Amino acid sequence: LPLRGKPLNAEKKRLDQVLMNEEFRSLITALGTGIGEDFKIGNLKYHRIIILADADQDGAHIRAILLTFFYRYMKELVQEGHIYIGTPPLYLVKKGQMSEYVYDDKALPAAVKRMGKGYTIQRYKGLGEMNPHELWETTMDPEKRTLRRITLDDAVKADETFTVLMGEKVEPRKEFIEKNAKYAVNLDY
């Protein structure tokens, strides 16, 4: 189910406001479970709900928003292990006929080293710019894709982080950014 852009920040919204959002209404309808007091896990139409977003920070933000939504309004989906994160590549490193998909910044130097001189790097800015065969090969093919099942601990952590980053209080957000800024890496290859 394609969503257009970033979904509504469910952290700051009441249930009636969430239900007014077209993207969340589409998601609720697609899953078949209802929401809130009307939620029925037995009506779930799919065993796996895979969140697939771009490999960059905007994609991470979208994943956090969706995890917060599921945690707040459909917690049983998380508790019973129905929520997964799909992992698309961030880079393609090529040299001649050799190529390697790289899924995060930390793995890029090793891939570059394996290729040796004369390599090229393609950075994927989003899923939409990948060719269909690349998307299938890296992210959709059940034999090759990497899925991470979301646990309740993952959802709680996402919820806490999302509350800090998107909540009303400025000081916790400032502290979080100052504490985690050292993890922001500017790579130049």
Side-chain angles (χ1 to χ4, degrees):
L1 175 70
L3 299 177
R4 294 180 309 232
K6 288 185 183 177
L8 178 74
N9 176 359
E11 176 69 21
K12 297 180 179 181
K13 304 297 180 190
R14 297 180 319 268
L15 179 57
D16 64 313
Q17 294 172 309
V18 170
L19 291 173
M20 289 175 56
N21 180 266
E22 183 179 333
E23 299 301 316
F24 281 134
R25 278 198 325 266
S26 296
L27 182 58
I28 294 162
T29 300
L31 297 177
T33 59
I35 190 170
E37 292 179 10
D38 297 328
F39 181 85
K40 291 182 179 52
I41 192 77
N43 293 342
L44 182 62
K45 295 178 183 178
Y46 306 95
H47 179 69
R48 288 186 179 144
I49 300 157
I50 302 170
I51 299 171
L52 186 58
D54 295 346
D56 60 11
Q57 292 304 315
D58 282 339
H61 187 209
I62 289 169
R63 285 188 299 273
I65 289 171
L66 289 170
L67 287 174
T68 298
F69 167 76
F70 288 128
Y71 178 73
R72 289 270 186 243
Y73 296 105
M74 300 176 156
K75 190 182 284 189
E76 210 170 332
L77 293 176
V78 178
Q79 291 171 321
E80 294 198 12
H82 292 287
I83 309 292
Y84 294 80
I85 299 290
T87 309
L90 190 54
Y91 302 100
L92 173 63
V93 182
K94 290 181 79 168
K95 179 182 173 185
Q97 296 297 315
M98 298 186 316
S99 64
E100 181 178 342
Y101 291 103
V102 179
Y103 290 81
D104 59 44
D105 287 324
K106 291 178 184 177
L108 187 57
V112 165
K113 187 175 181 179
R114 281 190 291 277
M115 289 294 162
K117 292 182 180 177
Y119 65 86
T120 61
I121 298 176
Q122 178 179 349
R123 186 181 190 294
Y124 293 112
K125 292 182 178 68
L127 298 171
E129 75 175 34
M130 295 180 79
N131 293 323
H133 78 276
E134 291 174 317
L135 189 58
W136 171 258
E137 184 178 313
T138 61
T139 312
M140 305 296 287
D141 183 353
E143 299 296 319
K144 296 180 184 175
R145 69 185 178 196
T146 301
L147 295 180
R148 190 176 114 223
R149 179 182 258 167
I150 298 303
T151 67
L152 194 54
D153 289 342
D154 295 325
V156 169
K157 178 71 173 160
D159 175 63
E160 290 169 354
T161 303
F162 196 70
T163 298
V164 168
L165 294 176
M166 300 301 288
E168 300 295 327
K169 297 179 182 175
V170 174
E171 192 57 35
R173 179 172 39 255
K174 183 179 174 186
E175 289 173 13
F176 180 90
I177 291 168
E178 288 173 354
K179 178 182 172 190
N180 292 286
K182 63 185 173 194
Y183 298 114
V185 178
N186 182 10
L187 298 175
D188 186 15
Y189 293 97

